[in-house]
Amino acid sequence: MTFLLKLLYYFNLLWLYTDVIGEFCWLIEGIKLGKSLDELSMIAPCSTICLLATAKSLPIILNKNTLDSTVDKLRNMHPNSSNKTESKDERFEREVVRESLKFLNSVITFMYVCCAVVVVIFSTLPLMLMSYDYYYKGEADLKLPFLIKYFFDAYANTKIWGFVYIHQVWSTTNVCMNIFATDTFFYVFCTYIRMHFRILGYHFENVVCASHDQTRRKMRKCIRRHQELIELVNQLETLYSKSALFNILSSSLLICLSGFNITIVAKTSAILAFIPFLVVSLTQISLTCFYGDMLMASSTKMCDAVYNCRWYDASPDIKKSVFLVLFRASKPCKVTAAKFAVLNLSAFTTILSRSWSYFALLKTMYD
């Protein structure tokens, strides 16, 4: 089964890059022929987001063992509460799980709708334009979703045109599926790890008991869980670190060019296509940075939870353990962009600032 899934992934990757290479060929030819900036800006963000989708999905495929290990650990750590008689701890865990999953489901639904709208708009827009031309002019030229240079004439007849059209639609679907799948995986991982940090913080606050032996057992259990969560964040870093770097570098370009096509290029088709494109570009990088920031904050909040336990009533060995946990919890668990930047809200503001600078420069060149 794993072999078949990998084979399907690489087949779709090959399918996609027959279009991506054609886009780059069209772009290079357009630059040589001196095509206008608004024409070139229509294809550049499409090529960029194809590369981004590959950069996001390929590390997941190459690190499948790490992915499976992470999923298994989270599955084993998931709180199991009985429906009959719940203790106070179980009720708290159930409430934390409910709150976390409610917000996560809303985010995933919003991301799904955004990606679906992009696929539908880019796939149907040429057909709508052809229908409009035929209705008002009595004739219509064949159109395709993207400007791609092939080694054959894609408009030679309706059969070739139909195959190329379906080819481009499936490529669009591949890109959106790769982005949606990898990003929602990241949101799920961050949500579950944050959820376990909250539960662990609750247990740390109540770690000191009347019995010294019971306190020691609970402390060992909490420390072991803390180490497991740190290891999970390290595995998340392995899965997403390299793709996060390309995401940060490319997002400014995607946001800039999408905004340029919406505000400067005087074409209704460009506005209809690139508004959802801009929403997806902003959504995927903003949510990635948001969840990265949320993960950091939840890991450092462990310090407050540990300090709020009744450590002053505990034995010297427990106090020493509390100090060591405080020292480790003060260092935030984070996901980085290949160690060059940290995924947090500060990184998102930097991306927006850079996007505006690129947009202003591009607008000056166009004017």
Side-chain angles (χ1 to χ4, degrees):
M1 189 64 179
T2 303
F3 174 76
L4 291 177
L5 290 175
K6 282 189 175 182
L7 189 64
L8 179 62
Y9 173 79
Y10 288 118
F11 171 78
N12 284 328
L13 195 66
L14 181 63
W15 180 290
L16 171 63
Y17 273 84
T18 56
D19 283 337
V20 174
I21 292 171
E23 285 179 336
F24 278 111
C25 291
W26 188 94
L27 198 60
I28 293 169
E29 186 181 76
I31 294 172
K32 289 180 179 179
L33 295 176
K35 288 185 180 291
S36 61
L37 187 59
D38 56 343
E39 287 182 285
L40 298 175
S41 68
M42 294 290 289
I43 199 65
C46 300
S47 304
T48 305
I49 204 167
C50 290
L51 297 176
L52 176 60
T54 306
K56 283 173 176 281
S57 60
L58 194 57
I60 302 294
I61 297 296
L62 297 178
N63 294 283
K64 188 179 181 304
N65 292 335
T66 303
L67 175 66
D68 292 340
S69 173
T70 306
V71 172
D72 289 340
K73 286 179 181 178
L74 285 173
R75 184 181 288 117
N76 294 330
M77 291 168 61
H78 193 74
N80 294 316
S81 58
S82 61
N83 294 325
K84 297 178 181 179
T85 55
E86 289 184 331
S87 65
K88 181 182 176 182
D89 293 350
E90 288 176 333
R91 283 197 299 271
F92 176 81
E93 291 176 356
R94 181 167 56 84
E95 185 62 23
V96 170
V97 171
R98 188 190 66 81
E99 291 177 4
S100 301
L101 295 185
K102 182 179 179 181
F103 180 71
L104 176 64
N105 290 333
S106 301
V107 170
I108 291 176
T109 301
F110 177 74
M111 191 68 180
Y112 175 81
V113 171
C114 289
C115 291
V117 169
V118 169
V119 172
V120 171
I121 291 293
F122 274 91
S123 300
T124 59
L125 190 57
L127 296 177
M128 290 190 290
L129 293 175
M130 289 168 60
S131 301
Y132 178 86
D133 290 343
Y134 185 78
Y135 182 79
Y136 286 99
K137 299 177 183 178
E139 58 180 6
D141 296 328
L142 297 176
K143 291 180 172 62
L144 291 169
F146 303 102
L147 300 171
I148 297 176
K149 182 177 176 60
Y150 295 102
F151 62 90
F152 57 89
D153 185 6
Y155 304 94
N157 56 59
T158 53
K159 289 183 179 180
I160 295 176
W161 170 82
F163 173 77
V164 173
Y165 198 103
I166 293 172
H167 193 284
Q168 292 189 9
V169 169
W170 184 243
S171 294
T172 306
T173 307
N174 272 333
V175 169
C176 288
M177 285 194 302
N178 283 338
I179 290 176
F180 173 77
T182 53
D183 282 358
T184 51
F185 249 132
F186 182 76
Y187 308 155
V188 168
F189 287 147
C190 289
T191 297
Y192 272 79
I193 294 173
R194 174 181 180 266
M195 179 181 76
H196 286 296
F197 269 124
R198 285 185 62 188
I199 293 172
L200 180 60
Y202 172 82
H203 289 308
F204 261 123
E205 287 182 352
N206 299 279
V207 72
V208 178
C209 307
S211 169
H212 175 69
D213 291 337
Q214 186 178 0
T215 300
R216 183 179 295 174
R217 284 195 299 270
K218 291 177 70 173
M219 177 61 75
R220 286 176 179 172
K221 185 178 179 181
C222 288
I223 291 175
R224 198 177 301 117
R225 178 54 56 88
H226 192 212
Q227 291 171 338
E228 290 173 353
L229 291 177
I230 293 171
E231 179 60 27
L232 280 173
V233 176
N234 292 336
Q235 290 181 322
L236 199 61
E237 170 83 357
T238 301
L239 291 170
Y240 285 95
S241 179
K242 295 181 178 62
S243 62
L245 177 61
F246 190 83
N247 197 0
I248 287 177
L249 294 175
S250 62
S251 290
S252 296
L253 182 64
L254 288 172
I255 295 169
C256 163
L257 291 175
S258 301
F260 179 82
N261 289 330
I262 293 169
T263 58
I264 304 299
V265 180
K267 291 182 180 178
T268 305
S269 59
I271 295 173
L272 288 175
F274 281 95
I275 284 179
F277 191 96
L278 176 61
V279 171
V280 169
S281 300
L282 281 168
T283 300
Q284 60 91 19
I285 188 60
S286 62
L287 286 175
T288 298
C289 292
F290 169 76
Y291 275 98
D293 191 87
M294 186 177 68
L295 185 63
M296 288 179 59
S298 63
S299 68
T300 53
K301 282 181 180 178
M302 290 295 302
C303 289
D304 296 334
V306 175
Y307 187 78
N308 288 335
C309 76
R310 294 182 4 253
W311 54 268
Y312 40 81
D313 293 332
S315 60
D317 60 324
I318 297 297
K319 291 179 181 178
K320 182 179 179 181
S321 297
V322 168
F323 174 77
L324 292 175
V325 174
L326 277 172
F327 180 77
R328 179 59 188 89
S330 63
K331 181 181 178 182
C333 297
K334 57 192 177 184
V335 180
T336 67
K339 308 297 182 184
F340 287 100
V342 179
L343 287 182
N344 54 24
L345 293 178
S346 297
F348 180 60
T349 58
T350 302
I351 291 168
L352 290 182
S353 176
R354 194 182 299 125
S355 301
W356 174 253
S357 300
Y358 292 162
F359 176 80
L361 177 63
L362 203 59
K363 187 175 182 299
T364 303
M365 292 172 60
Y366 184 77
D367 293 338

